[in-house]
Amino acid sequence: MLAIVGGSGLYSPGDDFQLEESLAPETPYGETSAEIGVGRWHGVPLAFLARHGPRHRIPPHRINYRANLWALGQLGVTRIIAVNAVGGIAAELPPRTLALPDQIIDYTSGREHSFEVGEDQPVRHVDFSYPYSEVLRTALVAAARQQQLALVEKGTYGVTNGPRLESAAEIERLRRDGCTMVGMTGMPEAALARELEIDYACLALVVNWAAGVADGVIEMTEIVEHIEHGMRRVKALLGVTAKMVAA
Ligand code: HPA
């Protein structure tokens, strides 16, 4: 089954999601961010989870990523499309752009970021050379072309700890590292999916220029406006992609 993990601004797949049950599964890691909605969307089975909780109450560094991913895995989810709001660093990523990162750099700290606990189990070091699923990325690109929606097909997502936004110098460093976008929720989600062998892709919506890229400071009102504008396109793209990758 496909799952969508919604970030800021995406709290349901859409009005046309036919919810069959809302599940609050127990996990060895505690509670998920919200109940997981399971139902049908565009004729295909879908699970949906709001990463920040029902009313956006959970900040990025306090999300229980392990519980969320574990619970989705237990439900039989084999593919996840994650939706993440990001700041644009590269010139080709102004606010309202949809982007599909193909690489990631993790700058987070202090998050529970692995299911590997050692103890009586030999430690596995999963391969993470290419963090995102090519199958899902290809489907998203095809869906965007079909709908004539502009989509930047590559990029490197730098994941910061938040919840504060970055300083201009931090963004300059990320740019030197090769990051084209910055957000707070891409990790450890992607790595935990890999540990569970769940295919995972990230659909990023740019909601502001990252710190220091444009003149002035970053205003929350600006972010909220771009999120509202962008989510209609996100939902349209996800709907077509869901049909393509339903397994
Ligand atoms: N930085 C980090 N995370 C973000 C940003 C940003 O500028 N915009 C949206 N999420």
Side-chain angles (χ1 to χ4, degrees):
M1 178 166 56
L2 173 71
I4 294 171
V5 177
S8 303
L10 190 68
Y11 305 106
S12 97
D15 297 337
D16 47 356
F17 179 49
Q18 295 159 318
L19 181 68
E20 285 163 5
E21 40 183 352
S22 285
L23 304 170
E26 288 200 2
T27 84
Y29 307 99
E31 287 180 18
T32 55
S33 293
E35 291 187 350
I36 300 174
V38 178
R40 294 186 82 77
W41 197 39
H42 297 278
V44 301
L46 182 81
F48 181 87
L49 173 61
R51 186 192 284 122
H52 294 284
R55 284 173 304 283
H56 200 120
R57 291 281 171 81
I58 313 173
H61 62 296
R62 303 197 66 184
I63 291 168
N64 193 339
Y65 295 95
R66 291 198 302 181
N68 289 351
L69 273 282
W70 182 267
L72 290 171
Q74 289 298 107
L75 285 179
V77 166
T78 50
R79 293 178 163 170
I80 293 175
I81 300 176
V83 179
N84 301 71
V86 298
I89 301 176
E92 82 221 33
L93 291 170
R96 301 195 175 183
T97 307
L98 289 177
L100 213 50
D102 62 332
Q103 277 296 334
I104 206 162
I105 300 182
D106 186 6
Y107 299 93
T108 65
S109 59
R111 301 183 181 188
E112 292 287 359
H113 63 280
S114 176
F115 295 113
E116 296 291 328
V117 288
E119 294 168 8
D120 54 349
Q121 307 267 17
V123 177
R124 280 184 323 147
H125 298 280
V126 293
D127 174 73
F128 201 52
S129 311
Y130 302 100
Y132 298 115
S133 154
E134 271 313 308
V135 172
L136 292 178
R137 282 174 36 75
T138 305
L140 283 155
V141 168
R145 290 197 184 144
Q146 191 178 311
Q147 299 217 306
Q148 297 181 317
L149 281 174
L151 177 68
V152 174
E153 296 174 13
K154 279 181 185 285
T156 297
Y157 177 173
V159 193
T160 55
N161 219 33
R164 68 164 176 84
L165 295 162
E166 299 72 34
S167 70
E170 286 169 337
I171 291 298
E172 210 31 60
R173 172 187 166 213
L174 263 63
R175 187 200 294 278
R176 286 197 299 276
D177 284 353
C179 298
T180 59
M181 65 190 91
V182 58
M184 301 174 190
T185 49
M187 285 290 277
E189 207 173 83
L192 292 169
R194 181 59 55 89
E195 285 189 1
L196 294 176
E197 299 178 12
I198 298 175
D199 274 2
Y200 181 95
C202 161
L203 176 60
L205 171 66
V206 183
V207 297
N208 58 284
W209 282 115
V213 175
D215 290 341
V217 298
I218 300 166
E219 304 282 357
M220 272 309 287
T221 49
E222 170 204 12
I223 291 184
V224 168
E225 205 177 292
H226 294 317
I227 287 180
E228 278 170 13
H229 185 274
M231 281 308 159
R232 250 176 299 130
R233 274 173 301 137
V234 166
K235 286 180 184 177
L237 185 52
L238 290 176
V240 175
T241 313
K243 276 188 276 185
M244 285 180 174
V245 301

